[in-house]
Coordinates of all heavy atoms in Angstrom, one line a residue:
M65 N 172.6 115.8 268.8 CA 171.5 116.0 267.9 C 172.0 116.1 266.4 O 173.1 116.8 266.2 CB 170.8 117.3 268.2 CG 169.6 117.6 267.4 SD 168.7 119.1 268.0 CE 169.4 120.4 267.0
L66 N 171.4 115.4 265.5 CA 171.8 115.4 264.1 C 171.3 116.7 263.5 O 170.3 117.2 263.8 CB 171.3 114.2 263.4 CG 172.1 113.6 262.3 CD1 173.5 113.2 262.8 CD2 171.4 112.4 261.8
C67 N 172.1 117.2 262.6 CA 171.7 118.4 261.8 C 170.4 118.2 261.1 O 170.3 117.3 260.4 CB 172.8 118.8 260.8 SG 172.3 120.1 259.7
P68 N 169.4 119.0 261.4 CA 168.1 118.8 260.9 C 167.9 119.2 259.4 O 166.9 119.0 258.8 CB 167.1 119.6 261.8 CG 168.0 120.7 262.3 CD 169.4 120.1 262.4
V69 N 169.0 119.8 258.9 CA 168.9 120.3 257.5 C 169.5 119.2 256.6 O 168.8 118.8 255.6 CB 169.7 121.6 257.3 CG1 169.7 122.1 255.9 CG2 169.1 122.7 258.2
C70 N 170.7 118.7 256.9 CA 171.3 117.7 256.0 C 171.3 116.3 256.5 O 171.5 115.4 255.8 CB 172.8 118.2 255.7 SG 173.8 118.1 257.1
H71 N 171.0 116.2 257.8 CA 171.0 114.9 258.5 C 172.2 114.1 258.3 O 172.2 112.9 258.3 CB 169.8 114.0 258.0 CG 168.5 114.7 258.1 ND1 167.8 114.8 259.3 CD2 167.7 115.4 257.3 CE1 166.7 115.4 259.2 NE2 166.6 115.8 258.0
K72 N 173.4 114.8 258.2 CA 174.6 114.1 258.0 C 175.6 114.3 259.1 O 176.5 113.4 259.3 CB 175.3 114.6 256.7 CG 174.6 114.0 255.5 CD 175.3 114.6 254.2 CE 174.4 114.3 253.0 NZ 174.7 115.2 251.9
A73 N 175.5 115.4 259.8 CA 176.6 115.7 260.8 C 175.9 116.2 262.1 O 174.7 116.5 262.1 CB 177.5 116.8 260.3
Q74 N 176.7 116.3 263.2 CA 176.2 116.8 264.4 C 175.8 118.3 264.3 O 176.6 119.1 263.8 CB 177.2 116.6 265.5 CG 177.3 115.2 266.0 CD 176.0 114.7 266.7 OE1 175.4 115.4 267.6 NE2 175.5 113.6 266.3
A75 N 174.7 118.7 264.9 CA 174.3 120.1 264.9 C 175.0 120.8 266.0 O 174.6 120.9 267.1 CB 172.8 120.2 265.0
S76 N 176.2 121.3 265.7 CA 177.0 121.9 266.7 C 177.0 123.4 266.7 O 177.5 124.1 267.6 CB 178.5 121.4 266.5 OG 178.9 121.8 265.2
E77 N 176.4 124.0 265.7 CA 176.4 125.5 265.6 C 175.0 126.0 265.8 O 174.1 125.4 265.3 CB 176.9 125.9 264.2 CG 178.3 125.3 263.8 CD 179.4 125.8 264.6 OE1 179.4 127.0 265.1 OE2 180.3 125.0 264.9
K78 N 175.0 127.2 266.4 CA 173.7 127.8 266.6 C 173.6 129.0 265.7 O 174.5 129.8 265.6 CB 173.5 128.3 268.1 CG 172.2 128.9 268.4 CD 172.1 129.3 269.8 CE 170.7 129.7 270.2 NZ 170.6 130.2 271.5
V79 N 172.5 129.1 264.9 CA 172.3 130.2 264.0 C 171.1 131.0 264.5 O 170.1 130.5 264.9 CB 172.1 129.8 262.6 CG1 173.5 129.4 261.9 CG2 171.1 128.7 262.4
E80 N 171.3 132.3 264.4 CA 170.2 133.2 264.9 C 170.1 134.4 263.9 O 171.1 134.9 263.4 CB 170.5 133.9 266.2 CG 170.8 132.9 267.3 CD 171.2 133.6 268.6 OE1 171.9 134.6 268.6 OE2 170.8 133.1 269.7
K81 N 168.9 134.7 263.6 CA 168.7 135.9 262.7 C 167.3 136.4 262.9 O 166.4 135.7 263.2 CB 168.8 135.3 261.2 CG 169.3 136.4 260.2 CD 169.6 135.7 258.9 CE 170.5 136.5 258.0 NZ 171.1 135.7 256.9
I82 N 167.1 137.7 262.7 CA 165.8 138.3 262.7 C 165.3 138.5 261.3 O 166.0 139.2 260.5 CB 165.8 139.6 263.5 CG1 166.1 139.3 265.0 CG2 164.5 140.3 263.4 CD1 166.4 140.5 265.8
V83 N 164.2 137.8 260.9 CA 163.7 137.9 259.6 C 162.3 138.5 259.7 O 161.4 137.9 260.3 CB 163.7 136.5 258.9 CG1 163.1 136.6 257.5 CG2 165.1 135.9 258.9
D84 N 162.1 139.6 259.1 CA 160.8 140.2 259.1 C 160.2 140.4 260.5 O 159.1 140.1 260.8 CB 159.8 139.4 258.2 CG 160.2 139.4 256.7 OD1 160.9 140.4 256.3 OD2 159.9 138.5 256.0
G85 N 161.1 140.8 261.4 CA 160.6 141.0 262.8 C 160.5 139.7 263.6 O 160.2 139.8 264.8
R86 N 160.8 138.6 263.0 CA 160.7 137.3 263.8 C 162.1 136.9 264.1 O 162.9 136.8 263.3 CB 160.0 136.2 263.0 CG 158.5 136.5 262.9 CD 157.8 135.3 262.2 NE 157.9 134.1 262.9 CZ 157.4 132.9 262.5 NH1 156.8 132.9 261.3 NH2 157.5 131.8 263.2
F87 N 162.3 136.5 265.4 CA 163.6 135.9 265.8 C 163.5 134.4 265.4 O 162.7 133.7 265.9 CB 163.8 136.2 267.3 CG 165.1 135.6 267.7 CD1 166.3 136.2 267.4 CD2 165.1 134.5 268.5 CE1 167.5 135.7 267.8 CE2 166.3 134.0 269.0 CZ 167.5 134.6 268.6
I88 N 164.5 134.1 264.6 CA 164.5 132.7 264.1 C 165.9 132.1 264.5 O 166.9 132.7 264.2 CB 164.3 132.6 262.6 CG1 162.9 133.1 262.3 CG2 164.4 131.1 262.1 CD1 162.6 133.3 260.8
E89 N 165.9 130.9 265.1 CA 167.1 130.3 265.4 C 167.0 128.8 265.2 O 165.9 128.2 265.1 CB 167.5 130.6 266.9 CG 166.5 130.0 267.9 CD 166.9 130.1 269.3 OE1 168.1 130.5 269.6 OE2 166.1 129.7 270.2
G90 N 168.2 128.2 265.1 CA 168.2 126.8 264.9 C 169.6 126.3 265.1 O 170.6 127.0 265.2
H91 N 169.7 125.0 265.3 CA 171.0 124.3 265.4 C 171.3 123.5 264.2 O 170.5 122.7 263.8 CB 171.0 123.4 266.7 CG 171.0 124.2 267.9 ND1 169.9 124.7 268.5 CD2 172.1 124.7 268.7 CE1 170.2 125.4 269.6 NE2 171.5 125.4 269.7
V92 N 172.4 123.7 263.6 CA 172.8 123.0 262.4 C 174.3 122.6 262.5 O 175.0 123.0 263.4 CB 172.6 123.9 261.1 CG1 171.1 124.2 260.9 CG2 173.4 125.2 261.2
C93 N 174.7 121.8 261.5 CA 176.1 121.4 261.5 C 177.0 122.6 260.9 O 176.5 123.6 260.4 CB 176.3 120.2 260.7 SG 176.1 120.4 258.9
R94 N 178.3 122.4 261.0 CA 179.2 123.4 260.6 C 179.0 123.8 259.1 O 178.9 125.0 258.8 CB 180.6 122.9 260.8 CG 181.7 123.9 260.5 CD 182.4 124.4 261.8 NE 183.1 125.6 261.5 CZ 182.8 126.8 262.1 NH1 182.0 126.8 263.1 NH2 183.5 127.9 261.7
D95 N 178.8 122.8 258.2 CA 178.6 123.1 256.8 C 177.4 123.9 256.6 O 177.4 124.9 255.8 CB 178.5 121.8 256.0 CG 179.9 121.2 255.8 OD1 180.9 121.8 256.2 OD2 179.9 120.0 255.3
C96 N 176.3 123.5 257.2 CA 175.0 124.2 257.0 C 175.1 125.6 257.6 O 174.4 126.5 257.2 CB 173.9 123.4 257.6 SG 173.6 121.9 256.7
Y97 N 175.8 125.7 258.7 CA 176.0 127.0 259.4 C 176.7 128.0 258.4 O 176.2 129.1 258.2 CB 176.9 126.9 260.6 CG 177.2 128.2 261.3 CD1 176.2 128.8 262.0 CD2 178.5 128.7 261.3 CE1 176.5 130.0 262.7 CE2 178.8 129.9 261.9 CZ 177.8 130.5 262.6 OH 178.1 131.7 263.3
I98 N 177.7 127.6 257.7 CA 178.4 128.4 256.7 C 177.4 128.8 255.6 O 177.4 129.9 255.2 CB 179.7 127.7 256.2 CG1 180.7 127.7 257.4 CG2 180.2 128.5 255.0 CD1 181.8 126.7 257.2
K99 N 176.6 127.8 255.2 CA 175.6 128.1 254.1 C 174.6 129.1 254.6 O 174.2 130.0 253.9 CB 174.9 126.8 253.7 CG 175.6 126.1 252.6 CD 174.7 124.9 252.2 CE 175.4 123.6 252.5 NZ 174.5 122.4 252.5
A100 N 174.2 128.9 255.9 CA 173.1 129.8 256.4 C 173.6 131.3 256.5 O 172.9 132.2 256.3 CB 172.7 129.3 257.8
L101 N 174.9 131.4 256.7 CA 175.5 132.8 256.8 C 175.4 133.6 255.5 O 175.2 134.8 255.5 CB 177.0 132.7 257.2 CG 177.2 132.3 258.7 CD1 178.7 132.3 258.9 CD2 176.5 133.2 259.7
S102 N 175.4 132.8 254.4 CA 175.4 133.5 253.1 C 174.0 133.5 252.5 O 173.8 133.9 251.4 CB 176.4 132.9 252.2 OG 176.1 131.5 252.0
M103 N 173.0 132.9 253.2 CA 171.7 132.9 252.7 C 171.0 134.3 252.7 O 171.3 135.0 253.6 CB 170.8 131.9 253.5 CG 171.0 130.5 253.1 SD 170.0 129.5 254.3 CE 170.4 127.9 253.6
D104 N 170.1 134.5 251.8 CA 169.3 135.7 252.0 C 168.2 135.3 252.9 O 168.0 134.2 253.3 CB 168.8 136.3 250.6 CG 167.8 135.4 249.9 OD1 167.0 134.6 250.6 OD2 167.7 135.5 248.7
K105 N 167.5 136.3 253.4 CA 166.6 136.1 254.5 C 165.4 135.2 254.2 O 164.9 134.4 255.0 CB 166.1 137.4 255.1 CG 165.2 138.2 254.2 CD 164.8 139.5 255.0 CE 163.8 140.2 254.2 NZ 163.2 141.4 255.0
R106 N 165.0 135.2 252.9 CA 163.9 134.3 252.5 C 164.3 132.8 252.6 O 163.6 132.0 253.1 CB 163.4 134.7 251.1 CG 162.2 134.0 250.7 CD 161.4 134.7 249.7 NE 161.0 136.0 250.1 CZ 159.8 136.2 250.7 NH1 159.0 135.2 250.9 NH2 159.4 137.4 251.1
E107 N 165.5 132.5 252.1 CA 166.1 131.2 252.1 C 166.2 130.7 253.6 O 165.9 129.6 253.9 CB 167.5 131.1 251.5 CG 167.4 131.1 250.0 CD 168.9 131.1 249.4 OE1 169.6 132.0 249.8 OE2 169.2 130.2 248.7
Y108 N 166.7 131.6 254.4 CA 167.0 131.4 255.8 C 165.6 131.0 256.5 O 165.5 130.1 257.2 CB 167.6 132.6 256.4 CG 168.0 132.4 257.9 CD1 169.2 131.8 258.2 CD2 167.1 132.7 258.9 CE1 169.5 131.7 259.5 CE2 167.4 132.5 260.2 CZ 168.6 132.0 260.5 OH 169.0 131.8 261.8
Y109 N 164.7 131.8 256.2 CA 163.3 131.6 256.8 C 162.8 130.3 256.4 O 162.3 129.5 257.3 CB 162.4 132.7 256.2 CG 161.1 132.8 256.9 CD1 160.9 133.5 258.0 CD2 160.0 132.1 256.3 CE1 159.6 133.5 258.6 CE2 158.7 132.2 256.9 CZ 158.6 132.9 258.1 OH 157.3 132.9 258.6
Y110 N 162.9 129.9 255.2 CA 162.3 128.6 254.8 C 163.1 127.4 255.4 O 162.6 126.4 255.8 CB 162.3 128.5 253.3 CG 161.1 129.2 252.7 CD1 161.3 130.2 251.7 CD2 159.8 128.9 253.1 CE1 160.2 130.9 251.2 CE2 158.7 129.6 252.6 CZ 158.9 130.6 251.7 OH 157.9 131.3 251.2
M111 N 164.4 127.7 255.5 CA 165.3 126.6 256.1 C 165.0 126.4 257.5 O 164.9 125.2 258.0 CB 166.7 127.1 255.9 CG 167.8 126.0 256.4 SD 169.4 126.7 255.9 CE 170.4 125.5 256.7
F112 N 164.7 127.4 258.3 CA 164.6 127.3 259.7 C 163.2 127.3 260.3 O 162.9 126.7 261.3 CB 165.5 128.3 260.5 CG 166.9 128.0 260.3 CD1 167.7 128.8 259.4 CD2 167.5 126.9 260.9 CE1 169.0 128.5 259.2 CE2 168.9 126.6 260.7 CZ 169.6 127.4 259.8
V113 N 162.3 127.9 259.6 CA 161.0 127.9 260.1 C 160.3 126.5 259.9 O 159.4 126.2 260.6 CB 160.1 129.0 259.4 CG1 158.7 128.9 259.7 CG2 160.7 130.4 259.9
T114 N 160.8 125.8 259.0 CA 160.3 124.4 258.8 C 161.0 123.4 259.6 O 160.7 122.2 259.5 CB 160.4 124.0 257.3 OG1 161.7 124.2 256.9 CG2 159.5 124.9 256.4
L115 N 162.0 123.8 260.4 CA 162.7 122.8 261.2 C 161.8 122.4 262.4 O 161.0 123.1 262.9 CB 163.9 123.5 261.8 CG 165.1 123.7 260.9 CD1 166.2 124.3 261.6 CD2 165.5 122.4 260.2
P116 N 162.0 121.1 262.9 CA 161.2 120.7 264.0 C 161.5 121.4 265.3 O 160.7 121.4 266.2 CB 161.6 119.2 264.2 CG 162.8 119.0 263.4 CD 162.9 120.1 262.3
D117 N 162.7 122.0 265.4 CA 163.0 122.7 266.7 C 162.8 124.2 266.5 O 163.4 125.0 267.2 CB 164.4 122.4 267.1 CG 165.5 123.0 266.2 OD1 165.2 123.3 265.1 OD2 166.6 123.2 266.7
K118 N 161.9 124.6 265.6 CA 161.6 126.0 265.5 C 161.0 126.5 266.8 O 160.4 125.7 267.5 CB 160.6 126.2 264.3 CG 159.2 125.9 264.5 CD 158.4 126.2 263.3 CE 156.9 125.8 263.5 NZ 156.2 126.0 262.2
A119 N 161.2 127.8 267.0 CA 160.8 128.3 268.3 C 159.7 129.4 268.1 O 159.7 130.1 267.1 CB 162.0 128.9 269.0
C120 N 158.9 129.5 269.1 CA 157.9 130.6 269.2 C 158.6 131.9 269.2 O 159.5 132.1 270.1 CB 157.0 130.4 270.4 SG 155.9 131.8 270.6
P121 N 158.3 132.9 268.4 CA 159.0 134.1 268.4 C 158.6 135.0 269.5 O 159.3 136.0 269.8 CB 158.6 134.8 267.0 CG 157.3 134.2 266.7 CD 157.3 132.8 267.3
V122 N 157.6 134.7 270.2 CA 157.1 135.5 271.4 C 157.8 135.0 272.7 O 158.4 135.8 273.4 CB 155.6 135.5 271.5 CG1 155.2 136.3 272.7 CG2 155.0 136.1 270.2
C123 N 157.6 133.7 273.0 CA 158.2 133.3 274.3 C 159.4 132.4 274.1 O 160.1 132.1 275.1 CB 157.1 132.5 275.0 SG 156.6 130.9 274.2
G124 N 159.7 132.0 272.9 CA 161.0 131.3 272.7 C 160.9 129.8 272.9 O 161.9 129.1 272.8
R125 N 159.7 129.3 273.2 CA 159.6 127.9 273.4 C 159.7 127.1 272.1 O 159.2 127.6 271.1 CB 158.2 127.6 274.0 CG 157.9 126.1 274.4 CD 156.6 126.0 275.0 NE 156.6 126.5 276.3 CZ 156.7 125.8 277.5 NH1 156.9 124.5 277.4 NH2 156.7 126.4 278.6
T126 N 160.5 126.0 272.1 CA 160.7 125.3 270.9 C 159.6 124.2 270.8 O 159.0 123.8 271.8 CB 162.1 124.7 270.8 OG1 162.2 123.7 271.9 CG2 163.1 125.7 271.0
F127 N 159.4 123.7 269.6 CA 158.5 122.6 269.5 C 158.9 121.4 270.2 O 158.1 120.6 270.7 CB 158.3 122.3 268.0 CG 157.1 121.3 267.8 CD1 155.8 121.7 268.0 CD2 157.4 120.0 267.4 CE1 154.8 120.8 267.9 CE2 156.4 119.1 267.2 CZ 155.1 119.5 267.5
G128 N 160.2 121.2 270.3 CA 160.7 120.0 271.1 C 160.3 120.1 272.5 O 159.9 119.1 273.1
E129 N 160.4 121.3 273.1 CA 160.0 121.5 274.5 C 158.5 121.3 274.6 O 158.0 120.7 275.6 CB 160.4 122.9 275.0 CG 161.9 123.1 275.2 CD 162.2 124.6 275.4 OE1 161.3 125.5 275.2 OE2 163.4 124.9 275.7
F130 N 157.8 121.8 273.7 CA 156.4 121.7 273.7 C 155.9 120.2 273.7 O 155.1 119.8 274.4 CB 155.7 122.5 272.6 CG 154.3 122.1 272.4 CD1 153.3 122.5 273.3 CD2 153.9 121.3 271.3 CE1 152.0 122.1 273.1 CE2 152.6 120.9 271.1 CZ 151.6 121.3 272.0
S131 N 156.5 119.5 272.8 CA 156.1 118.1 272.6 C 156.4 117.2 273.8 O 155.8 116.2 274.1 CB 156.7 117.5 271.3 OG 158.1 117.5 271.4
E132 N 157.4 117.7 274.6 CA 157.7 116.9 275.9 C 156.7 117.3 277.0 O 156.2 116.4 277.7 CB 159.1 117.3 276.4 CG 160.2 116.5 275.7 CD 161.6 117.1 275.9 OE1 161.8 117.7 277.0 OE2 162.4 116.9 275.1
S133 N 156.3 118.5 277.1 CA 155.5 119.0 278.2 C 154.0 119.1 277.8 O 153.1 119.1 278.6 CB 156.0 120.3 278.8 OG 155.8 121.3 277.8
L134 N 153.8 119.2 276.5 CA 152.5 119.5 275.9 C 151.8 120.8 276.5 O 150.6 120.9 276.6 CB 151.5 118.3 276.1 CG 151.9 117.1 275.3 CD1 150.9 115.9 275.6 CD2 151.9 117.4 273.8
L135 N 152.7 121.7 277.0 CA 152.2 123.0 277.5 C 152.7 124.1 276.5 O 153.9 124.1 276.2 CB 152.8 123.2 278.9 CG 152.2 122.4 280.0 CD1 153.0 122.6 281.3 CD2 150.7 122.8 280.2
L136 N 151.8 124.9 276.1 CA 152.2 126.0 275.3 C 152.7 127.2 276.2 O 152.2 127.4 277.3 CB 151.0 126.5 274.5 CG 150.5 125.5 273.4 CD1 149.2 126.0 272.8 CD2 151.5 125.4 272.3
G137 N 153.7 127.9 275.7 CA 154.3 128.9 276.5 C 153.5 130.2 276.5 O 153.4 131.0 277.5
C138 N 152.8 130.5 275.4 CA 152.0 131.7 275.3 C 151.0 131.5 274.2 O 151.1 130.5 273.4 CB 152.9 132.9 275.0 SG 153.5 133.0 273.3
P139 N 150.0 132.4 274.0 CA 149.0 132.2 273.0 C 149.6 132.1 271.6 O 149.0 131.5 270.7 CB 148.1 133.4 273.2 CG 148.3 133.9 274.6 CD 149.7 133.6 274.9
H140 N 150.7 132.8 271.4 CA 151.3 132.8 270.1 C 151.8 131.4 269.7 O 152.0 131.1 268.5 CB 152.4 133.9 270.0 CG 152.8 134.2 268.6 ND1 152.1 135.2 267.8 CD2 153.8 133.8 267.8 CE1 152.6 135.2 266.7 NE2 153.6 134.4 266.6
C141 N 152.2 130.6 270.6 CA 152.7 129.3 270.4 C 151.8 128.5 269.5 O 152.2 127.8 268.6 CB 152.9 128.5 271.6 SG 154.3 129.1 272.7
Y142 N 150.5 128.6 269.7 CA 149.5 127.8 268.9 C 149.7 128.2 267.5 O 149.7 127.3 266.6 CB 148.1 128.1 269.4 CG 147.1 127.2 268.7 CD1 147.0 125.9 269.0 CD2 146.4 127.8 267.6 CE1 146.1 125.1 268.3 CE2 145.5 127.0 266.9 CZ 145.4 125.6 267.2 OH 144.6 124.8 266.5
K143 N 149.8 129.5 267.2 CA 150.0 129.9 265.8 C 151.3 129.4 265.2 O 151.4 128.9 264.1 CB 150.0 131.4 265.7 CG 148.6 132.0 265.5 CD 148.5 132.4 264.0 CE 147.1 132.5 263.5 NZ 146.4 131.2 263.2
T144 N 152.3 129.5 266.0 CA 153.7 129.1 265.6 C 153.7 127.6 265.2 O 154.2 127.2 264.2 CB 154.7 129.3 266.7 OG1 154.6 130.7 267.1 CG2 156.1 129.1 266.2
F145 N 153.1 126.8 266.1 CA 153.2 125.3 265.9 C 151.9 124.8 265.3 O 151.7 123.5 265.3 CB 153.4 124.7 267.3 CG 154.6 125.2 267.9 CD1 154.6 125.6 269.3 CD2 155.9 125.3 267.3 CE1 155.7 126.1 269.9 CE2 157.0 125.8 267.9 CZ 156.9 126.2 269.2
E146 N 151.1 125.6 264.7 CA 149.8 125.1 264.2 C 149.9 123.9 263.3 O 149.2 122.9 263.6 CB 149.2 126.3 263.4 CG 147.7 126.2 263.3 CD 147.1 127.5 262.7 OE1 147.8 128.2 262.0 OE2 145.9 127.7 262.9
Q147 N 150.8 123.9 262.4 CA 150.9 122.8 261.5 C 151.4 121.5 262.2 O 150.9 120.4 261.8 CB 151.8 123.1 260.3 CG 151.2 124.1 259.4 CD 152.0 124.4 258.1 OE1 153.2 124.1 258.1 NE2 151.4 124.9 257.1
E148 N 152.3 121.7 263.1 CA 152.8 120.5 263.9 C 151.7 120.0 264.9 O 151.7 118.9 265.2 CB 154.1 120.9 264.6 CG 155.3 121.1 263.7 CD 155.3 122.5 263.2 OE1 154.4 123.3 263.4 OE2 156.3 122.9 262.5
L149 N 150.9 121.0 265.3 CA 149.9 120.6 266.4 C 148.8 119.8 265.8 O 148.3 118.9 266.5 CB 149.3 121.9 267.0 CG 150.2 122.5 268.1 CD1 149.6 123.9 268.4 CD2 150.2 121.7 269.3
L150 N 148.4 120.0 264.6 CA 147.3 119.3 264.0 C 147.3 117.8 264.1 O 146.4 117.2 264.7 CB 147.0 119.8 262.6 CG 146.5 121.2 262.4 CD1 146.4 121.6 261.0 CD2 145.2 121.4 263.2
P151 N 148.4 117.2 263.7 CA 148.5 115.7 263.8 C 148.5 115.3 265.3 O 148.0 114.2 265.7 CB 149.7 115.3 263.1 CG 150.5 116.6 262.9 CD 149.5 117.7 262.9
L152 N 149.1 116.1 266.1 CA 149.2 115.8 267.6 C 147.9 115.8 268.2 O 147.5 114.9 269.0 CB 150.1 116.9 268.2 CG 151.5 116.4 268.8 CD1 152.4 117.6 268.9 CD2 151.3 115.8 270.1
V153 N 147.1 116.8 267.9 CA 145.7 117.0 268.5 C 144.9 115.8 268.0 O 144.2 115.2 268.8 CB 145.1 118.3 268.0 CG1 143.6 118.3 268.4 CG2 145.8 119.5 268.7
D154 N 145.0 115.4 266.8 CA 144.3 114.2 266.3 C 144.7 113.0 267.1 O 143.8 112.2 267.4 CB 144.7 114.0 264.8 CG 143.9 114.9 263.9 OD1 143.0 115.6 264.4 OD2 144.1 114.9 262.7
S155 N 146.0 112.8 267.3 CA 146.4 111.6 268.0 C 145.9 111.6 269.5 O 145.6 110.5 270.1 CB 147.9 111.4 267.9 OG 148.5 112.3 268.7
I156 N 145.8 112.8 270.1 CA 145.4 112.9 271.5 C 143.9 112.5 271.5 O 143.4 111.8 272.4 CB 145.6 114.3 272.1 CG1 147.2 114.5 272.3 CG2 144.9 114.5 273.4 CD1 147.6 115.9 272.5
Q157 N 143.1 113.1 270.6 CA 141.7 112.9 270.5 C 141.3 111.4 270.2 O 140.3 110.9 270.6 CB 141.0 113.8 269.5 CG 141.0 115.2 270.1 CD 140.4 116.2 269.0 OE1 140.4 115.9 267.8 NE2 140.1 117.4 269.4
A158 N 142.2 110.7 269.5 CA 141.9 109.4 269.1 C 142.0 108.4 270.3 O 141.5 107.3 270.2 CB 142.9 108.9 268.0
K159 N 142.7 108.9 271.4 CA 142.9 108.0 272.5 C 141.6 107.9 273.4 O 140.9 108.8 273.4 CB 144.1 108.4 273.4 CG 145.4 107.9 272.8 CD 146.6 108.5 273.5 CE 147.8 108.3 272.7 NZ 148.9 109.2 273.1
Ligands
ZN121 ZN1 173.9 120.1 258.1
ZN122 ZN1 155.0 131.3 272.7

């Protein structure tokens, strides 16, 4: 998997942080990992909450998993993936 932040290197590092009570994790390359360590929580939040592999803070399901199975793990997933779901729902309804 390519680093979703810089799109230049393999995402080999896992970063995890709790920001405002939400557990946020992502996979990034070594350079971005080092950057993430020195980020304040707001920067971190924007960096990882906008990633395609963002995860539901309640059940931990990632958007990648969801898009493969099209099953939500819990009611909170809908809220978590709301923005990503909208175009998906449109394309499902269009069929
Ligand atoms: Zn990177
Ligand atoms: Zn969930």
Side-chain angles (χ1 to χ4, degrees):
M65 185 173 93
L66 212 57
C67 173
V69 178
C70 66
H71 302 283
K72 284 178 192 158
Q74 284 296 311
S76 57
E77 306 294 326
K78 185 179 188 185
V79 283
E80 302 175 326
K81 206 171 200 165
I82 293 171
V83 179
D84 297 333
R86 287 183 67 179
F87 180 72
I88 298 169
E89 64 174 352
H91 287 86
V92 296
C93 71
R94 184 110 200 120
D95 284 354
C96 293
Y97 176 71
I98 291 163
K99 269 186 249 165
L101 289 182
S102 60
M103 279 178 178
D104 68 28
K105 64 178 190 174
R106 190 158 294 273
E107 284 177 301
Y108 184 88
Y109 187 85
Y110 282 123
M111 183 172 170
F112 291 104
V113 169
T114 54
L115 288 181
D117 69 338
K118 76 181 182 185
C120 173
V122 176
C123 67
R125 185 175 288 262
T126 64
F127 188 70
E129 288 169 353
F130 164 71
S131 59
E132 279 169 27
S133 64
L134 293 178
L135 289 169
L136 293 171
C138 76
H140 196 84
C141 290
Y142 183 78
K143 268 259 159 281
T144 307
F145 304 131
E146 204 168 21
Q147 288 185 343
E148 289 85 354
L149 279 169
L150 289 177
L152 248 157
V153 170
D154 280 353
S155 70
I156 291 165
Q157 284 174 348
K159 278 173 194 164

